[in-house]
Amino acid sequence: MPDTVVIVGAGLAGLACALRLRSAGVEVRVVEAADEVGGRVRTDVVDGFRLDHGFQVFNTAYPEAARVLDVAALDLRPIPSGLISFERGRRERFMLPWRHPGQALSGLLADVGSPADKAALAALTARDVLLPVSRLRDGRERTTREELRHWGVSPRMVEKLIRPFLSGVVLERELETSSRFFHLIWRAFARGTVGVPAPGMGEIPRQLAARLPPGTLALGTPVAAVTGEGVETAGGATIPARAVVVATDPATAATLCPGLEIPEMRSVTTFYHAASRSPMDDPTQIIDAEGHITDTLVISDAAPEYAPPGRALVSTSVLGVLSGADEPRVRARLSQIYGTDTSDWEHLATYAVREALPAMVPPFRLRRPVRLAPGRYVCGDHRDTGSQQGALVSGRRAADAVLADLGA
């Protein structure tokens, strides 16, 4: 029997699994269907612009990321810890006061809720920041909307601020996401620095892949089946393996592992526009309280490396699967939000991410099994939480299951 463990998929989960196994002295082979590592976390360079596959950010509060990544080497470009809410032609700024003390009054004066609302939100945030993570994970579960009502946050603040913001995070508008995940992600935003690597989000999986020994990774190698001997590639070749870890999207994983439960997936579409200059000179994220889009920001104001000199890159996301045919509608809304003529903006690309995140509705299991059968394992954010943190943790869990079964 071969000693090699084959990992199908070179996204964050698969790469994290591979590194964990290699650190334990296990021989690993990673096969990836695409021509680059990263899965959903990739960056294309188009005419000098860095275009991530959908609007994504890195959060320094993710504990697993701190364990497996050299965060300093990512050369992170921070995005302000706050929001600008746009509604009926007005922009209201709401910044975290402990991160931006010079703008502390912005949240107090913003017309997004009553003083009681802001006090309730502050109490909720303080609790999430200070409590151990285990208390948040094990707390009573309900929907996020019910949880906010429990904390005394009024429908007005929910609709003007929290729902528009969270729709861009969990990719749903009804606030039906589990309150357990809500508290975990709220804690991460309150405690961490959010930003993007200067070379683009694709730098994260590239850093992980660079730590694997030469010859470990095979790109452009789709797998057709998992067999008793290992895996069979689409080209008909057999790669023998002592164990196989499937680290793909849920639909592909279910094809390779019949009977695997497929969660409902959320989708999002990101439009990229190039402008001759920034319409804001401010990288703060803007949320659309009226729901025409989800959020937008001038990403090159945070990371100048994302655009060629003298140009600006605007990233705008909308829930669902859209196409270039929807771009004029999005452009018209951006004209209203930024208060400028957008007719001369260049439409660079549209990224429709059909399976962007798993739905996390109650009852939601924060940990799903990664061991399917002897020698068969699965990982990905659909086995943990829908986040980079969840993907990395699932990779570690799958590797630990392999090591336990191999007696390593």
Side-chain angles (χ1 to χ4, degrees), residues 358-373:
M360 294 172 281
V361 299
F364 177 63
R365 297 172 65 187
L366 291 171
R367 297 286 184 269
R368 291 179 174 83
V370 293
R371 180 190 287 106
L372 303 180

Side-chain angles (χ1 to χ4, degrees), residues 67 73 76 90 136 230 243 248 365:
R67 281 193 283 267
L76 203 66
R90 293 186 58 195
L136 302 182
T248 67
R365 297 172 65 187

Side-chain angles (χ1 to χ4, degrees), residues 242-267:
R242 191 174 178 186
V244 175
V245 180
V246 176
T248 67
D249 63 88
T252 302
T255 300
L256 297 175
C257 306
L260 182 69
E261 178 187 359
I262 305 177
E264 178 187 355
M265 298 296 288
R266 310 293 194 192
S267 57

Side-chain angles (χ1 to χ4, degrees), residues 228-318:
E229 291 73 36
V231 300
E232 181 180 325
T233 70
T238 296
I239 303 176
R242 191 174 178 186
V244 175
V245 180
V246 176
T248 67
D249 63 88
T252 302
T255 300
L256 297 175
C257 306
L260 182 69
E261 178 187 359
I262 305 177
E264 178 187 355
M265 298 296 288
R266 310 293 194 192
S267 57
V268 65
T269 302
T270 298
F271 296 84
Y272 285 106
H273 291 93
S276 58
R277 62 176 302 276
S278 171
M280 285 288 289
D281 292 322
D282 181 349
T284 304
Q285 183 182 12
I286 303 175
I287 57 174
D288 186 353
E290 296 175 82
H292 297 278
I293 65 168
T294 303
D295 52 65
T296 182
L297 81 162
V298 186
I299 190 69
S300 56
D301 282 348
E305 297 85 353
Y306 268 54
R311 306 291 300 279
L313 178 64
V314 182
S315 169
T316 304
S317 295
V318 187

